[in-house]
Amino acid sequence: MRVQRRGWRTALAVALALGGAVALPTAAGAAPHQVRDDFNGDGYADLAVGAPDGTVAGRAKAGFVGVLYGSPSGLKTSTKRVFSQNTAGVPGCSEAGDRFGSALTTGDLDRDGYTDLVVGVGGENAGSGLVQVLWGGPRGLSGGASLASGRAHDALGSKGHLAVGDVDGDGSLDLLTAVDQYGLVATGGPFTRSGSARGERQVVKDRYPSTVLDLDVGDLNGDGITDVVAAQTGENFDSRRTAYWWGTKDGLTDWTLVWDIDGATLQGGENLAVGDVNRDGYADIVVGRAVDGYASDYDAYRAKGGRVTWIPGTAGAPDGVAEQAVNQDSPGVPGTAEKGDRFGTDVQLADVNGDGYLDVVTGVPGEDLGPATAPNSVKDAGSVVVLSGGAGGLTGVGSHQVVTQDSPGVPGASEKGDAFGGAVHAGDANGDGLADVSVGAPGENASAGSVWSFRSKGEHVVSPGGVPIPATILGPNGTFTFGHTLLGTTAAKARLGSGFAN
């Protein structure tokens, strides 16, 4: 989640198109603004969105990735690009079931000063899987190389199995790939333009059989070297756990679990993000447990309908005893916890309200919506919730926010099965120091999929006493949606918006 892949130490602000979502001033002492996901080096964050189920040249589920570049006015639809294995310079060719774009992450792998896009091709070679890179440059993404290939049934490069981070502190980003029932592989950078790695390859096996569901990176103990965190299941898929590997000058240490107050494995989830939510100098772990209904829910506080858990980092180890878990029945959180809501689907960290603390942006794609006279009449329409962070963790009671396709200024309307919030992303597309939010709805239009972009237009306003004052929220012109008509891609069952480069 790379210069911290999803967690940013810089103060960002988002004003979503909903009542009460505003951009407020950055807190004093916040780190300088840093641009992520800038493929062409112009100072504006770009957006990469996957459609791994997309049809390419008549080949079903070959997969493709759409890219929009940032600009002073935000994401530019006129500069859209589409990449697949049929794109000139990308190795291989699009084949049915390859699922190009099944996982996406970013980082400057060849140390040329431009961010590169790392692409998982989870279905390549009958499910062995492949990881490829599209190289960044002054004109944007172009050319590519293959970085790693899997063995039979590895599904290398599948969703959640991919990250980059400097885990040995040598100044070069390393490629991190997960292999089910096996462990973690760190391939040392930097990488050449042919895709070969100049560093060493390290394999760290898990102590017990495991299935990795998501990966992220961050400095958990404040030693200046990137650590790796995974959302996992054990031998029994019913359970969830959070594992981590310390980064050191000698590479990754052995696999370790986060423990709860009883000395047992802390119940985790399927999605995670890493970042310093409480600004104490240690990266925290935020886990989304979107799937409820397992027997292990009895050991997971507030599991109904999905939950989000904050686990603080410390100088010693992530503190599972001090965890905070919230769901839609928690005070101040919009909505009501209902089975199948999938609250906690995808979790992103960014300073949404401008107070200098990272907030959690998360999807609720199973949310049912409808008018007061017929509640829950639109099944699985979906929503996105922002949970306010602070010095005490996720304690922003009364300051959380929600947006749906029925919110003022949001194009479209909530429909059955849209799964709005199936994926979320945060990035400063117009370079104003405020984070913009993108939302995927992979179920939109009979699973063709679509993407919504929310651009912040908040103003930094402070009262004479130094108290933040709510500023401008987004109007109808601050939000737009795009899909296959813009990209020129095949819509049928593509599920555009299944994932972003986070």
Side-chain angles (χ1 to χ4, degrees), residues 318-399:
D319 189 355
V321 176
E323 64 151 337
Q324 294 176 8
V326 300
N327 69 356
Q328 288 186 290
D329 281 343
S330 299
V333 178
T336 301
E338 300 166 312
K339 182 175 173 57
D341 279 350
R342 295 171 60 203
F343 177 82
T345 294
D346 205 357
V347 283
Q348 295 285 303
L349 299 180
D351 185 359
V352 172
N353 56 18
D355 64 356
Y357 292 96
L358 297 177
D359 309 305
V360 179
V361 183
T362 188
V364 197
E367 186 79 79
D368 298 342
L369 302 173
T373 56
N376 304 333
S377 61
V378 186
K379 185 174 178 59
D380 296 338
S383 68
V384 170
V385 171
V386 179
L387 303 171
S388 297
L394 301 181
T395 57
V397 175
S399 60

Side-chain angles (χ1 to χ4, degrees), residues 272-343:
L272 56 80
V274 178
D276 189 3
V277 173
N278 59 358
R279 292 185 63 181
D280 65 352
Y282 306 106
D284 312 315
I285 303 172
V286 177
V287 181
R289 184 187 178 98
V291 181
D292 61 348
Y294 287 117
S296 59
D297 287 356
Y298 292 107
D299 297 322
Y301 178 61
R302 296 194 185 278
K304 182 179 180 181
R307 74 173 191 176
V308 171
T309 302
W310 172 70
I311 306 168
T314 72
D319 189 355
V321 176
E323 64 151 337
Q324 294 176 8
V326 300
N327 69 356
Q328 288 186 290
D329 281 343
S330 299
V333 178
T336 301
E338 300 166 312
K339 182 175 173 57
D341 279 350
R342 295 171 60 203
F343 177 82

Side-chain angles (χ1 to χ4, degrees), residues 6 49-50 52 102 159-160 214 270-272 288 290 340-348 361-367 380-385 403-405 417-425 437-444 449-452 454 495-502:
R6 296 185 181 101
V49 56
S102 54
K159 184 176 181 179
D214 200 7
E270 301 84 21
N271 315 284
L272 56 80
D341 279 350
R342 295 171 60 203
F343 177 82
T345 294
D346 205 357
V347 283
Q348 295 285 303
V361 183
T362 188
V364 197
E367 186 79 79
D380 296 338
S383 68
V384 170
V385 171
V403 63
T404 74
Q405 286 190 68
D418 279 351
F420 182 84
V424 293
H425 178 270
V437 170
S438 294
V439 178
E444 179 79 10
S450 193
V451 176
W452 277 255
F454 298 88
R495 297 187 62 80
L496 178 68
S498 294
F500 295 98
N502 296 314

Side-chain angles (χ1 to χ4, degrees), residues 163-216:
V164 297
D166 182 8
V167 299
D168 56 7
D170 67 352
S172 297
L173 292 178
D174 309 309
L175 175 66
L176 304 165
T177 53
V179 180
D180 289 344
Q181 306 297 323
Y182 191 75
L184 186 69
V185 179
T187 304
F191 290 81
T192 68
R193 281 292 175 124
S194 67
S196 62
R198 292 174 176 164
E200 297 182 353
R201 182 175 184 269
Q202 181 186 11
V203 178
V204 188
K205 295 185 177 180
D206 291 355
R207 199 173 312 157
Y208 311 109
S210 63
T211 298
V212 171
L213 304 175
D214 200 7
L215 280 177
D216 201 3

